[in-house]
Amino acid sequence: MTAPSPGLDRFHAVIPAGGVGSRLWPLSRAAAPKFLHALSGSGESLLRDTWQRVAPLSGEGRILVVTGRAHATAVREQLPELDDANLVLEDEPRESSAAIGLAAAILVRREPDVIVGSFHADHVIRGVAAFGQAVRQAVAVADAGYIATIGVPPTEPATGFGYIRATHALPDVPGVLQVDSFVEKPDLETAIGYLATGDYLWNAGMFVSRADVLLERMRVAQPDLVAGLEELAKAWDTDGRDEAVARIWPALPKIAIDYSVAEPAAAAGRLAVVPGRFTWHDVGDFATIARLGAAGRPGQLVTLGEADQVVADDASGLVVASGGRLVSLIGLRDVVVVDTPDALLVTTTEHAQRVKQAVEAVRASGRGHLL
């Protein structure tokens, strides 16, 4: 029988479910962002997949979801097991420091010794057992007072991810590394160099920490932010919540948790990374969805939505058919076609990252209602 992991009995999972996913337009929109869509091939939404991945570790009653107020109904429908007290609604997005920091501040008031782990709602992970092992190891590291992150050994010189440089083992913790630094998304030549050294991991954006430690680290870099979050948390489970949110939330600084917590903790030697031996995908564009659907079989045409509305001859890439009409492709390689009732996108997997530019053009044209 496996011994229980230190700290796991105090572990709560936090799922930040935000972001429009502009590179997945017109499928992902402000009213129906990507985490609400089934994009992994499992038949479930990305949000539901995330829930099912973390629930065996924390328990269903210890999962807190942070999302926009506009998505409350959809989130409740997809996660009927979610306790109402564990649904945290943002009036407007204020970046990951505010979302994760508020969750930590709320939970530490409910349970002073709580350990929190943050897992984004738009990632695809294959190898759930290995994921669970990495989280348990990260919880044990967090129980010792470190902030832990889970990094993924790179399999290719990807330019769309940030990287973590880690060259030394954490003292007395086998298999865990001390983080030297975080690195922003590199160009291709730099990414090739990272892969060759073996000193870098992909930054998967997963953080595990005692809630009080996370807030204290954040306080060093962003004292005003933490003061606001703690005032919000004090009112959260009371009748004064709405007044506090209206007064405090709009003024909170917008900053990613990499900058408010991870980088300062790394500089102080208090950030550890657990290498995750699982397959990880950040579903950031249609090229990623095409690769996921092809499952390593090049030359495939992946279809989502109304598959019976797609007719293809000698075509590969991705078709998302939800416009209610027939989509026919002939002799096209690595194409991306996204057909919706009010907008049609046609591009290639090579240019999938440029969809965000199309979104900006649509906004500039005065058609913001399509976003």
Side-chain angles (χ1 to χ4, degrees):
M1 185 173 179
T2 303
S5 301
L8 199 62
D9 59 334
R10 309 193 318 278
F11 175 63
H12 287 245
V14 176
I15 303 177
V20 175
S22 56
R23 290 185 179 88
L24 293 178
W25 180 85
L27 177 64
S28 179
R29 308 195 189 195
K34 60 181 176 179
F35 61 83
L36 295 174
H37 294 275
L39 303 177
S40 69
S42 71
E44 302 281 5
S45 71
L46 296 178
L47 174 63
R48 184 71 194 176
D49 281 345
T50 306
W51 174 278
Q52 293 176 338
R53 197 159 51 239
V54 301
L57 301 166
S58 63
E60 291 180 347
R62 288 172 170 252
I63 302 176
L64 191 149
V65 177
V66 185
T67 192
R69 190 171 298 278
H71 312 312
T73 299
V75 168
R76 287 190 177 102
E77 288 175 352
Q78 292 199 5
L79 305 177
E81 310 93 332
L82 177 64
D83 292 342
D84 283 344
N86 288 340
L87 179 59
V88 175
L89 300 177
E90 301 175 312
D91 284 347
E92 58 177 318
R94 305 302 297 177
E95 274 283 4
S96 56
S97 293
I100 298 169
L102 177 58
I106 291 170
L107 290 172
V108 79
R109 291 188 66 86
R110 296 176 182 174
E111 185 179 329
D113 294 330
V114 68
I115 294 172
V116 298
S118 174
F119 308 96
H120 289 289
D122 58 355
H123 292 175
V124 173
I125 289 175
R126 291 173 177 164
V128 175
F131 168 79
Q133 181 179 0
V135 173
R136 290 183 181 93
Q137 196 168 15
V139 168
V141 172
D143 192 43
Y146 288 88
I147 292 175
T149 187
I150 299 174
V152 178
T155 57
E156 60 180 339
T159 59
F161 304 146
Y163 286 73
I164 299 169
R165 184 173 186 266
T167 57
H168 297 91
L170 197 69
D172 304 321
V173 185
V176 179
L177 303 173
Q178 184 167 325
V179 174
D180 299 329
S181 61
F182 279 78
V183 183
E184 297 295 331
K185 297 176 182 179
D187 58 31
L188 180 59
E189 183 177 355
T190 303
I192 291 171
Y194 289 168
L195 191 63
T197 68
D199 292 339
Y200 293 83
L201 300 165
W202 283 333
N203 177 13
M206 305 178 202
F207 295 97
V208 182
S209 173
R210 276 176 26 201
D212 59 342
V213 171
L214 184 143
L215 290 169
E216 285 308 311
R217 287 288 166 191
M218 190 180 293
R219 194 189 311 276
V220 173
Q222 293 287 323
D224 293 341
L225 173 59
V226 174
L229 295 175
E230 290 180 334
E231 188 175 355
L232 275 172
K234 184 177 180 180
W236 198 262
D237 292 326
T238 74
D239 293 338
R241 177 195 299 181
D242 290 345
E243 182 278 330
V245 169
R247 175 170 49 87
I248 298 169
W249 188 258
L252 293 178
K254 287 185 176 182
I255 182 170
I257 199 166
D258 284 3
Y259 304 125
S260 68
V261 174
E263 289 187 356
R270 301 303 298 173
L271 185 67
V273 60
V274 176
R277 308 299 176 182
F278 48 81
T279 302
W280 167 82
H281 299 273
D282 181 0
V283 184
D285 59 29
F286 287 114
T288 301
I289 297 173
R291 287 196 299 271
L292 283 169
R297 302 184 304 273
Q300 298 291 307
L301 181 67
V302 177
T303 59
L304 296 177
E306 302 163 4
D308 59 346
Q309 293 292 93
V310 179
V311 177
D313 179 14
D314 189 28
S316 66
L318 172 70
V319 178
V320 181
S322 58
R325 57 191 161 193
L326 182 69
V327 178
S328 181
L329 293 85
I330 302 172
L332 296 173
R333 315 307 301 170
D334 301 323
V335 69
V336 172
V337 177
V338 184
D339 185 35
T340 72
D342 59 359
L344 171 68
L345 170 74
V346 181
T347 183
T348 64
T349 54
E350 180 184 358
H351 297 292
Q353 285 278 314
R354 295 173 60 184
V355 173
K356 191 172 183 178
Q357 298 174 23
V359 169
E360 295 304 320
V362 171
R363 181 176 288 110
S365 73
R367 295 182 176 92
H369 64 283
L370 296 176
L371 305 177

